[in-house]
Amino acid sequence: QGQLLAKSWSSLFEGQSGAALRGPIYSFNGRNVLTDPLWPHRLAWHGSTPRGGHARRWDCQGWRSSGVAEGMATALGEGRLLAGHRHNCSTP
């Protein structure tokens, strides 16, 4: 059955910095990214502004491993999906 992450798709992006996330978030291989040591930075990369628009300069699009670009990402522990900060695109 799973757990409710947000009330609706649109509620993820409404209001200041989007919805407060609820419950665990699992990777495709079933690991809880909020507690698993394989995920040391626990970031959600989104390349968006706090209102859900495209942060054109900060989306890591076209990034290469030799580059020093930055993109918008949110620490999942903050509880707000789009409450992002710039992070180096090389961050795993």
Side-chain angles (χ1 to χ4, degrees):
Q1 284 229 316
Q3 294 182 348
L4 181 65
L5 183 61
K7 290 182 181 180
S8 69
W9 175 255
S10 61
S11 73
L12 286 171
F13 307 105
E14 292 174 349
Q16 184 63 286
S17 301
L21 300 175
R22 302 175 188 159
I25 299 172
Y26 294 100
S27 66
F28 289 109
N29 64 356
R31 294 176 181 265
N32 182 341
V33 301
L34 298 176
T35 58
D36 194 292
L38 183 65
W39 298 84
H41 298 289
R42 296 175 176 85
L43 297 172
W45 293 90
H46 51 74
S48 298
T49 66
R51 292 188 162 180
H54 182 196
R56 296 185 196 285
R57 290 186 59 199
W58 315 111
D59 66 1
C60 293
Q61 185 173 350
W63 169 82
R64 302 292 181 263
S65 60
S66 60
V68 292
E70 290 182 315
M72 296 301 287
T74 297
L76 293 171
E78 287 184 22
R80 292 285 181 178
L81 185 60
L82 298 179
H85 303 283
R86 292 190 322 236
H87 293 272
N88 187 299
C89 294
S90 297
T91 303

